[in-house]
Amino acid sequence: MQQSRPSPHPTAASADASATTGDYTAGKTAGETADNATSNDTEAPPTERLRIVTDLAEIDAAAWDDLVGRSMQPTPFLKHAFLHALHATGCAAPDSGWTPQFLTLWRAANTDDTACSALAGAVPLYAKMHSYGEYVFDWAWANAYAEHGLAYYPKLLAAVPFTPVEGSRLIAADPAAQSSLLETLLDAAQRSGMSSLHLLYPPAAEAERMAQAGMLMRQGVQFHWTNPGYADFEAFLASLEQKKRKNIRAERRKVREAGITFRHLPGATINETDWIFFERCYRQTYREHHSTPYLNLAFFQQIGATMPEHLHMVVAQREGRDIAASLLVVDHAAERSTLYGRYWGALEHHPCLHFETAYYQPLEFCIAAGIRTFEGGAQGEHKMARGFLPVTTHSAHWLAHPDFADAVERFLARERPGVAAYVDELNERSPFRRS
């Protein structure tokens, strides 16, 4: 549920790289290009402008969230509260190698609006000094650049930091705004002097739009659980093959026999003590993997205060003490109800504790709440034995260097059939009973 990385935390740009990023922000930017394109020889005001935003505090949270809600695939991770918390607490900030460069589209709210004050589109865009926290791995591409004496960083990345969850990257309420965003984004990338542009985890329809614009497309695999309307956990187990059903029962029995019990905390009931305990568990898990955590206590406290309706915590207890916890993000919207397994950690080691805390307890929550989908995080074939099935994900890439673009295109052409064959093979190993 988290991506391991080496310690220490990578630092931000060198002076040269910072200058490149600065040119992108302050030079001939997307906003200037758009202003020029929408002006004419008369003095009629433009009806559309594009602007780079480096601090989400500059944008009204309600206006941002309204736009997200009208986009092709909204998620809680695109909300103002989540993104702003990442930036404000230093988790995704210049000092950690993430420089926000959000591309925003503004339109005239009415015929008298000469300032184009209505937010009509946005791209969560960053200048990146490394490839940590992305979950679509391009380390081999960066190494190839380095071997040829070329700089792969800084690069441009459109994604939600540390969050391998599909969702709109061309955040807009209509196709025209999507087209404007993508066209300007590609133009800005070409003018930026950076090596490349990457859009991670867009929904399939947005990915198709990116492919039509000439971007290189890549596929990946995740594992999601779906709820057809199970009455209870036993009904879910009954849908599985006998061996899988037996193994899950055995795993859950081990946890019960260790004397471990669980309590569920809806976001509004999570208090300061709970957050301190959870962050301690989260940090311990990274320490055991000899890595540095991406997120900090201030981040968890801030989202706890600003978006509690989207949070749910599972806490494991033994002998009256809290010993482990998982933090889940939930979207309760009826048309897309989804539980996202995000972060977990433990202070004590017990067989199958991870599976119970991070999978089985959340599955019981999904069934009780009628939630349709549970996304357990990136990678992990082991999830199939617990009722998760493979789902294809997408990413789009543009590389400035023509020879490297050709090489990556050939690589992706070889990789795609392998991914498709892998998904077919996984589906043949479905854990569910065959009719």
Side-chain angles (χ1 to χ4, degrees):
M1 293 170 67
Q2 59 247 336
Q3 178 187 15
S4 181
R5 64 171 177 174
S7 182
H9 197 300
T11 59
S14 64
D16 290 344
S18 296
T20 305
T21 304
D23 288 342
Y24 176 62
T25 304
K28 190 168 184 180
T29 65
E32 292 176 348
T33 302
D35 288 349
N36 292 339
T38 53
S39 63
N40 52 45
D41 292 336
T42 71
E43 294 189 1
T47 59
E48 189 173 280
R49 294 179 186 269
L50 288 119
R51 181 162 62 94
I52 301 298
V53 173
T54 59
D55 186 350
L56 272 186
E58 299 175 18
I59 299 179
D60 177 72
W64 178 276
D65 288 346
D66 177 69
L67 178 67
V68 168
R70 293 183 291 125
S71 66
M72 182 173 291
Q73 187 168 330
T75 74
F77 306 102
L78 291 169
K79 284 198 165 184
H80 192 282
F82 189 86
L83 291 168
H84 185 53
L86 287 171
H87 307 155
T89 60
C91 299
D95 284 347
S96 61
W98 298 75
T99 300
Q101 301 271 277
F102 281 37
L103 176 64
T104 58
L105 172 67
W106 303 81
R107 287 177 175 166
N110 52 60
T111 55
D112 298 325
D113 185 0
T114 59
C116 294
S117 59
L119 182 65
V123 178
L125 187 66
Y126 299 85
K128 282 292 302 294
M129 296 310 305
H130 50 69
S131 293
Y132 294 109
E134 299 176 15
Y135 301 88
V136 175
F137 303 107
D138 62 351
W139 296 108
W141 304 356
N143 290 339
Y145 268 69
E147 289 171 1
H148 288 80
L150 300 174
Y152 189 68
Y153 306 110
K155 65 178 185 179
L156 289 172
L157 179 82
V160 177
F162 325 121
T163 309
V165 170
E166 187 176 277
S168 288
R169 297 299 176 255
L170 305 173
I171 304 172
D174 58 74
Q178 278 194 339
S179 296
S180 291
L181 286 171
L182 183 56
E183 180 181 354
T184 306
L185 182 60
L186 287 168
D187 180 68
Q190 293 166 8
R191 295 173 180 274
S192 70
M194 297 193 197
S195 72
S196 51
L197 165 68
H198 311 266
L199 294 95
L200 309 185
Y201 299 102
E206 286 187 15
E208 178 60 28
R209 187 180 293 272
M210 296 165 192
Q212 292 173 357
M215 298 192 74
L216 305 178
M217 306 308 299
R218 192 176 190 185
Q219 294 181 335
V221 179
Q222 288 187 352
F223 297 87
H224 298 174
W225 178 90
T226 56
N227 180 10
Y230 296 118
D232 51 31
F233 197 84
E234 280 300 312
F236 159 59
L237 288 181
S239 70
L240 298 174
E241 292 179 343
Q242 191 273 341
K243 182 179 180 181
K244 301 294 190 297
R245 186 164 61 246
K246 180 180 178 181
N247 287 344
I248 290 175
R249 286 182 173 140
E251 289 175 344
R252 303 199 78 182
R253 186 168 56 250
K254 289 178 182 178
V255 176
R256 289 195 304 271
E257 291 174 350
I260 299 171
T261 59
F262 294 86
R263 57 191 175 99
H264 286 242
L265 302 176
T269 69
I270 303 173
N271 60 35
E272 184 70 8
T273 300
D274 298 323
W275 283 122
I276 292 171
F277 167 74
F278 170 77
E279 192 272 342
R280 183 183 169 201
C281 293
Y282 168 78
R283 187 164 19 94
Q284 176 64 23
T285 297
Y286 273 88
R287 182 181 295 115
E288 290 172 0
H289 287 85
H290 308 287
S291 187
T292 305
Y294 291 123
L295 306 174
N296 54 34
L297 178 59
F299 168 77
F300 293 119
Q301 291 170 324
Q302 184 161 328
I303 63 171
T306 57
M307 51 185 296
E309 70 279 9
H310 289 296
L311 303 178
H312 188 90
M313 187 182 292
V314 179
V315 179
Q317 296 177 303
R318 180 174 179 269
E319 297 178 350
R321 295 186 305 108
D322 293 341
I323 63 169
S326 65
L327 181 64
L328 310 159
V329 174
V330 60
D331 188 343
H332 290 287
E335 67 275 15
R336 59 176 186 273
S337 59
T338 304
L339 186 69
Y340 302 91
R342 298 311 319 135
Y343 322 105
W344 118 280
L347 304 183
E348 292 184 6
H349 295 280
H350 297 276
C352 303
L353 178 59
H354 171 248
F355 296 137
E356 183 68 36
T357 311
Y359 296 110
Y360 301 144
Q361 290 291 320
L363 286 178
E364 287 195 340
F365 172 71
C366 284
I367 293 169
I371 293 172
R372 295 181 181 181
T373 305
F374 177 32
E375 296 190 15
Q379 291 94 39
E381 279 188 38
H382 65 275
K383 296 170 188 166
M384 285 193 66
R386 294 158 181 90
F388 292 71
L389 293 177
V391 174
T392 301
T393 62
H394 307 274
S395 60
H397 309 267
W398 170 86
L399 286 83
H401 196 291
D403 292 338
F404 276 95
D406 288 344
V408 168
E409 185 172 22
R410 291 194 299 272
F411 163 75
L412 295 177
R414 295 191 302 271
E415 184 184 55
R416 274 189 293 272
V419 172
Y422 175 57
V423 171
D424 288 343
E425 177 190 349
L426 291 173
N427 281 320
E428 290 174 1
R429 293 156 42 195
S430 170
F432 291 94
R433 296 169 58 186
R434 306 189 188 280
S435 57

